[in-house]
Amino acid sequence: MTVIDIPGSKSVTARALFLAAAAHGTTTLLRPLRSDDSEGFAEGLKALGYAVRQEPDAWHIEGRPAGPGRTEADVYCRDGATTARFLPALAAAGHGTFRFDASPQMRRRPLGPLTTALAELGAELTHGDREGHHPLTVTARGIRGGALRLDAGQSSQYLTALLLLGPLTAEGLAVTVTDLVSEPYVEITLAMMRSFGAEITRTEEADGARTYTVAPTGYRATRYAVEPDASTASYFFAAAALHPAAAAAAAVTVPGLGTGALQGDLAFTGVLRRMGADVTTTAEGTTVRSTGTLRGLTVNMRDISDTMPTLAALAPFADGPVRIEDVANTRVKECDRLDACAENLRRLGVSVATGPDWIEIRPGVPAGPAEIATRGDHRIVMSFAVTALRTPGITFDDPGCVRKTFPDFHAAFDAFRRTL
């Protein structure tokens, strides 16, 4: 059995940085993720006038409940969706003019539902190019609060940004959500907000919508430990499940992702269990062990869509078709992930069918050599690294894009491969 130390969660790190910046006092984050995305978020906070001191395993953030320390700033969000969506909401709570821009990849990704909501709450927003996309200028005069309706069917990050903003408003915030994807990420947000002193209630509406009501409590600084990234762990769990024989060596344990974990993507291990892997989750961590069998299945991955490419890359080795449904939102991630998975599996000689929100992969041993078209997407690289365990000759056209969330991925995964 191999024990893997997975870096801190990208999602948890981003939320913790927002909460720390907005809190009364100085917050210490333990074992935050160090990657291009999280470094970009921290640099964005610094540009806005927040004091951030970074040590190897701890970051210290001096909170500013009144908003950014500067009245004018330029923020470059790099490729980070959390940076590009959360920081404009944080800036809206302050006073000043704040300009945001991002990489060409992030400029293509939508912001519309969030910026529309911020405008309804009183922020003045101007798009520099396409409506609903970066670049974006926020002219902020504080947020009074109030009630609004939101469609979060493209991304749960729209709702998360507004929820995080809620305690900073003068009168509180009530957000009624008419559609919501990746709901477990919202649960992460709520749990973390409560750890920083927020008060949130949720009610179900008669029409099927859901309303989140956030009190104007502000936040309290704290000492917060960032748990390992469950999405990153999925590649190691899948690799263990892929081992062709049941053996002691064909197992991996990830400490820190146990029964109390916040991240919904740990539910990917339940998919592996349905396929035949042996999965054990305790308070201390999760272990996945190969049984020498991988069964086909049909699975709805709406709530864990970041692990859709992991399953797609594993799917050809199953004994029957693997059909993944309700993942339309993966088409508006760093790339069109559904299409990217289909293209690369076909490059490997695997039979694939797709629809607007589904992909079906038929059994068939992938054949190399082949170059994976990564489209600059870290998750495409890391997912097809799993396929490469059983397919000699796989290369990547942009292997370095893993720096977004796991700069040392290739070295860590190669070391892990040698233990199997």
Side-chain angles (χ1 to χ4, degrees):
M1 180 187 301
T2 302
V3 177
I4 297 290
D5 184 22
I6 298 293
S9 163
K10 175 173 77 79
S11 300
V12 172
T13 299
R15 287 159 173 78
L17 284 168
F18 183 112
L19 292 163
H24 289 273
T26 299
T27 291
T28 295
L29 305 183
L30 304 176
R31 295 190 73 248
L33 174 66
R34 300 207 71 142
S35 71
D36 192 69
D37 266 17
S38 55
E39 293 284 358
F41 202 116
E43 289 302 313
L45 288 177
K46 292 174 187 177
L48 290 169
Y50 294 91
V52 180
R53 181 166 59 87
Q54 294 165 280
E55 298 174 346
D57 290 318
W59 291 0
H60 311 277
I61 302 94
E62 294 181 23
R64 293 188 54 86
R70 297 189 177 132
T71 57
E72 188 169 355
D74 292 280
V75 179
Y76 183 63
C77 301
R78 305 188 192 184
D79 284 337
T82 50
T83 307
R85 292 165 176 166
F86 295 177
L87 287 188
L90 179 63
H95 291 78
T97 301
F98 309 104
R99 293 172 292 273
F100 296 88
D101 203 354
S103 68
Q105 184 188 67
M106 189 61 226
R107 278 188 172 198
R108 291 191 294 268
R109 298 180 67 179
L111 294 172
L114 173 60
T115 54
T116 297
L118 291 174
E120 288 180 21
L121 291 172
E124 181 182 330
L125 297 103
T126 305
H127 293 281
D129 189 3
R130 286 194 296 160
E131 195 71 17
H133 294 262
H134 279 296
L136 170 71
T137 298
V138 178
T139 303
R141 303 177 187 86
I143 297 291
R144 180 169 297 278
L148 56 84
R149 293 178 72 85
L150 175 75
D151 184 337
Q154 274 186 332
S155 174
S156 64
Q157 289 177 359
Y158 306 147
L159 175 58
T160 282
L162 294 168
L163 292 174
L164 290 169
L165 174 62
L168 304 179
T169 63
E171 299 177 356
L173 187 62
V175 185
T176 299
V177 182
T178 56
D179 190 19
L180 177 61
V181 70
S182 302
E183 184 177 351
Y185 283 95
V186 176
E187 295 303 316
I188 295 174
T189 303
L190 299 177
M192 292 184 65
M193 289 174 65
R194 291 179 178 120
S195 294
F196 281 76
E199 297 175 7
I200 316 107
T201 59
R202 187 181 75 185
T203 56
E204 305 296 330
E205 307 296 334
D207 61 0
R210 178 181 298 169
T211 297
Y212 296 86
T213 303
V214 187
T217 56
Y219 293 111
R220 297 189 304 270
T222 188
R223 188 174 175 88
Y224 193 88
V226 177
E227 68 185 31
D229 195 293
S231 306
T232 298
S234 74
Y235 313 115
F236 296 88
F237 290 143
L242 181 58
H243 198 283
V252 63
T253 295
V254 176
L257 281 179
T259 51
L262 295 176
Q263 298 163 82
D265 276 2
L266 187 57
F268 178 74
T269 59
V271 178
L272 295 178
R273 181 185 285 114
R274 288 180 57 193
M275 296 180 77
D278 180 63
V279 179
T280 303
T281 301
T282 67
E284 288 73 37
T286 296
T287 298
V288 173
R289 185 188 308 274
S290 172
T291 62
T293 298
L294 280 176
R295 294 188 291 269
L297 81 171
T298 296
V299 58
N300 184 308
M301 298 190 80
R302 178 183 179 88
D303 285 341
I304 56 170
S305 60
D306 273 353
T307 62
M308 179 279 289
T310 319
L311 181 56
L314 180 68
F317 303 99
D319 63 7
V322 171
R323 183 180 173 92
I324 304 170
E325 298 180 336
D326 207 359
V327 287
N329 69 311
T330 64
R331 292 191 179 276
V332 290
K333 297 285 189 174
E334 282 81 345
C335 72
D336 182 336
R337 286 180 177 162
L338 197 151
D339 186 69
C341 288
E343 175 194 354
N344 286 304
L345 288 168
R346 289 176 181 133
R347 286 188 177 198
L348 295 166
V350 177
S351 176
V352 181
T354 62
D357 67 346
W358 60 269
I359 181 170
E360 184 169 312
I361 302 138
R362 297 194 170 277
V365 177
E371 183 178 71
I372 299 300
T374 65
R375 306 192 189 186
D377 191 328
H378 58 132
R379 299 218 180 276
I380 299 300
V381 176
M382 293 189 278
S383 295
F384 279 88
V386 176
T387 313
L389 292 172
R390 299 269 296 272
T391 311
I394 284 183
T395 59
F396 301 94
D397 64 4
D398 184 10
C401 67
V402 296
R403 63 185 173 274
K404 180 176 175 68
T405 51
F406 193 174
D408 297 328
F409 172 77
H410 294 293
F413 201 73
D414 186 59
F416 172 61
R417 176 189 59 80
R418 293 195 297 270
T419 70
L420 294 176

